[in-house]
């Protein structure tokens, strides 16, 4: 099942929700843009909300009985949250995941770009650094210490960033305003309800126009970058005071030079984002839709939201024809003293958002817990099929291709295969050794270049069919050794010359 795709769709949809509500239209005296800007300026608050994910069954004829059961189990999933926002850098929430097979309570605390998590079923706290290991092209030239603070400083200048978006957003055409009385945290309030409806195609058009306007707004973009530089300036100075005399850091002390240097790559990054919007697929297709109700008080503060997205899955083979996402929330104690809870992270599992993260989490879970069973059996995060052509016809980009050596052994690129299966790969150039850490089975494999010897958890493994070898700057190993050690089975189609590694 395409869980990575679902995760991307949900994440993208939540971003789209925010962007869609940034129209600048003023109707019946209400400025929706002003309310969105005020919301960005809120320093502290309390809120509660529910995110619901529903899968609409489609053609399930090609699914196994296990896959059909998983689809049924995940047909309706809810996440309930009670949130305390202390400031732009500190937030905490108590919540629970609810689905057909049980409830999974959790506590989360955000500190800048780090998410600290206690969740039922985990043997230890989990810390996820959202920018850890991030590969963002326009950050690559910055010293590591600056990169680590980049996300935190973005949060600090959120009002300016939202202002740039608002100032360049077209008006949503289907916007209606009514006066209503509704309750927020039990208190009856007189509110103005802004209702907007958009098709996916309209949403794509709005986003493309907004990004085009931002790209054309050189002064506006440079002003946001200027505020970001001012936020980062103390961090730059701290590094200099600590004795960092690197040329890059010295250059960063010149604001005009720095802004001139970063403007083009960030402009190009936004242009690439605009180009990636495909009006024919998923949330941007004409059959997709978004409806949103935003409730605004007399101070032009957003107090409630009710958002629903329907997305057909145009290229789905997971048995779901569409996905429905709904989000309801209400906020109170705006800009009043609020203290976020903290989580003791001593002994925590430290994660970066990479391909190994989910498998490290699995290794940290009680195998009898609801969370483990949800990830393993229902979301099937360990399930994987890797198909590779052995005659060279599948070559694309710079990806190393498998081959059959003189001994008739199929040799595969160890890093590519291991990372596809969520294992971590290390290389010792001095000893010419590859280390593969498999978090699912708790194995550590050690292979040496030009040797048929290998070890598993320090013990000698059966001799390899062929020695590990270097080809096109990549280490290749016999497919059966690497696949079977990582809990997979191998099959070969003589007709198509495709070798398949399968793991449940």
């Amino acid at each position: 099942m395409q869980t990575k795709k679902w995760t991307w769709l949900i994440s993208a949809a939540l971003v789209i929700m925010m962007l869609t509500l940034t129209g600048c239209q003023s109707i019946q005296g209400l400025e929706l843009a002003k309310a969105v800007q005020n919301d960005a300026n809120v320093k502290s608050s309390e809120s509660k909300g529910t995110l619901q994910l529903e899968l609409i069954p489609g053609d399930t004829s090609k699914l196994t009985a296990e896959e059909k059961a998983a689809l049924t189990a995940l047909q309706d999933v809810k996440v309930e949250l009670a949130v305390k926002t202390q400031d732009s850098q500190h937030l905490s929430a108590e919540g629970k995941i609810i689905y057909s097979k049980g409830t999974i309570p959790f506590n989360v605390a955000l500190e800048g770009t780090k998410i600290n998590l206690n969740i039922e079923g985990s043997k230890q706290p989990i810390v996820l650094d959202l920018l850890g290991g991030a590969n963002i092209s326009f950050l690559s030239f910055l010293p590591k210490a600056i990169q680590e603070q980049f996300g935190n400083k973005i949060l600090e200048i959120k009002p300016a960033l939202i202002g740039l978006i608002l100032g360049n957003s077209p008006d949503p055409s289907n916007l209606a305003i009514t006066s209503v009385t509704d309750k927020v945290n039990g208190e009856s309030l007189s509110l103005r309800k802004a209702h907007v409806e958009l098709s996916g195609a309209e949403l794509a058009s709005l986003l493309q126009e907004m990004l085009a306007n931002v790209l054309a707004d050189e002064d506006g973009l440079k002003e946001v970058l200027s505020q970001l530089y001012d936020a980062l300036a103390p961090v730059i100075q701290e590094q200099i005071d600590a004795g960092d005399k690197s040329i890059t850091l010295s250059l960063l002390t010149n604001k005009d030079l720095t802004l001139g240097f970063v403007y083009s790559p960030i402009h190009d990054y936004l242009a690439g984002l605009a180009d990636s919007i495909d009006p024919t697929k998923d949330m941007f297709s004409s059959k997709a839709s978004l409806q949103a109700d935003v409730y605004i008080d007399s101070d032009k503060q957003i107090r409630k939201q009710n958002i629903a997205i329907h997305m057909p899955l145009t290229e789905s083979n997971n048995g779901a024809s569409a996905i429905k996402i709904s989000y309801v929330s209400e906020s109170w104690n705006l800009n009043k003293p609020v203290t976020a809870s903290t989580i003791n992270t001593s002994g925590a599992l430290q994660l970066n958002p990479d391909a190994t993260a989910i498998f490290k989490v699995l290794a940290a879970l009680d195998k009898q817990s609801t969370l483990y069973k949800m990830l393993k059996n229902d979301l099937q995060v360990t399930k994987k099929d890797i198909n590779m052509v052995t005659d060279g016809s599948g070559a694309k980009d710079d990806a190393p291709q498998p081959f059959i050596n003189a001994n008739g052994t199929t040799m595969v690129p160890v890093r590519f295969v291991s990372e596809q299966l969520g294992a971590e790969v290390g290389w010792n150039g001095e000893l010419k050794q590859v280390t593969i850490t498999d978090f699912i089975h708790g194995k550590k494999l050690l292979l040496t270049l030009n040797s048929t010897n290998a070890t598993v958890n320090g013990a000698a493994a059966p001799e390899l069919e062929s020695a590990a070898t270097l080809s096109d700057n990549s280490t290749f190993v016999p497919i059966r050794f690497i696949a079977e050690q990582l809990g997979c089975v191998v099959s070969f189609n003589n007709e198509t010359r495709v070798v398949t590694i399968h793991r449940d």
Side-chain angles (χ1 to χ4, degrees), residues 62-226:
K62 296 180 181 179
L63 301 186
T64 65
E66 183 183 41
E67 289 171 336
K68 289 178 182 178
L71 179 63
T72 299
L74 297 170
Q75 204 161 330
D76 188 356
V77 180
K78 295 179 183 178
V79 180
E80 295 182 353
L81 288 170
V83 182
K84 293 181 178 181
T85 302
Q86 180 174 323
D87 53 44
S88 65
Q89 302 291 322
H90 300 88
L91 174 154
S92 67
E94 291 184 8
K96 52 187 175 181
I97 302 169
I98 305 167
Y99 84 123
S100 62
K101 295 185 180 180
T103 298
I104 306 167
F106 63 88
N107 292 296
V108 63
L110 272 66
E111 297 179 359
T113 60
K114 288 189 176 181
I115 299 176
N116 304 326
L117 176 67
N118 268 333
I119 188 164
E120 186 176 88
S122 179
K123 303 169 189 174
Q124 59 193 123
I126 297 169
V127 176
L128 175 64
D129 185 350
L130 294 176
L131 280 184
N135 183 21
I136 304 176
S137 58
F138 59 77
L139 292 183
S140 59
F141 76 97
L142 294 173
K144 185 172 178 59
I146 311 298
Q147 292 185 42
E148 290 174 349
Q149 287 296 314
F150 187 85
N152 295 336
K153 300 308 177 183
I154 284 286
L155 293 174
E156 289 183 12
I157 66 157
K158 184 174 73 170
L161 188 59
I162 295 298
L164 177 66
I165 294 172
L166 287 171
N168 289 285
S169 293
D171 299 338
S173 57
N174 300 320
L175 178 63
I177 309 295
T178 55
S179 296
V180 299
T181 299
D182 211 330
K183 289 186 176 182
V184 175
N185 194 37
E187 179 185 3
S188 186
L189 299 175
S190 295
L191 302 166
R192 301 276 276 171
K193 182 176 80 170
H195 176 78
V196 64
E197 295 186 15
L198 294 169
S199 70
E202 291 171 327
L203 178 57
S205 177
L206 283 172
L207 287 173
Q208 287 174 326
E209 187 174 348
M210 182 272 289
L211 286 168
N213 290 342
V214 169
L215 289 167
D217 184 7
E218 182 175 344
D219 290 341
L221 182 55
K222 285 184 175 179
E223 173 56 28
V224 171
L225 294 177
S226 176

Side-chain angles (χ1 to χ4, degrees), residues 183-353:
K183 289 186 176 182
V184 175
N185 194 37
E187 179 185 3
S188 186
L189 299 175
S190 295
L191 302 166
R192 301 276 276 171
K193 182 176 80 170
H195 176 78
V196 64
E197 295 186 15
L198 294 169
S199 70
E202 291 171 327
L203 178 57
S205 177
L206 283 172
L207 287 173
Q208 287 174 326
E209 187 174 348
M210 182 272 289
L211 286 168
N213 290 342
V214 169
L215 289 167
D217 184 7
E218 182 175 344
D219 290 341
L221 182 55
K222 285 184 175 179
E223 173 56 28
V224 171
L225 294 177
S226 176
Q227 292 193 34
L228 178 58
Y229 178 90
D230 291 343
L232 281 167
V235 183
I236 296 171
Q237 191 59 51
E238 284 177 11
Q239 295 302 305
I240 292 174
D241 293 343
D244 189 335
K245 304 300 183 183
S246 65
I247 295 176
T248 300
L249 203 59
S250 297
L251 293 174
L252 288 175
T253 60
N254 186 318
K255 181 176 180 177
D256 290 338
L257 180 65
T258 301
L259 293 181
F261 188 71
V262 303
Y263 177 79
S264 291
I266 290 180
H267 188 277
D268 293 344
Y269 182 84
L270 292 173
L273 186 62
D275 291 340
S276 70
I277 297 174
D278 187 343
T280 67
K281 292 184 179 179
D282 298 326
M283 71 180 70
F284 299 129
S285 75
S286 59
K287 294 182 180 179
S289 64
L290 180 147
Q291 295 186 20
D293 291 321
V294 182
Y295 297 79
I296 303 167
D297 66 14
S298 57
D299 294 325
K300 291 189 173 60
Q301 295 282 10
I302 296 176
R303 303 300 298 275
K304 296 185 71 171
Q305 298 177 74
N306 189 341
I307 303 169
I309 292 177
H310 179 273
M311 291 183 294
L313 301 179
T314 54
E315 296 182 356
S316 172
N317 61 6
N318 55 31
S321 63
I323 182 172
K324 289 175 64 178
I325 300 170
S326 60
Y327 177 67
V328 297
S329 70
E330 55 187 72
S331 302
W332 62 95
N333 281 345
L334 274 62
N335 291 318
K336 294 182 179 179
V338 175
T339 303
S341 302
T342 60
I343 290 175
N344 183 351
T345 58
S346 59
L349 172 63
Q350 304 285 337
L351 297 176
N352 292 328

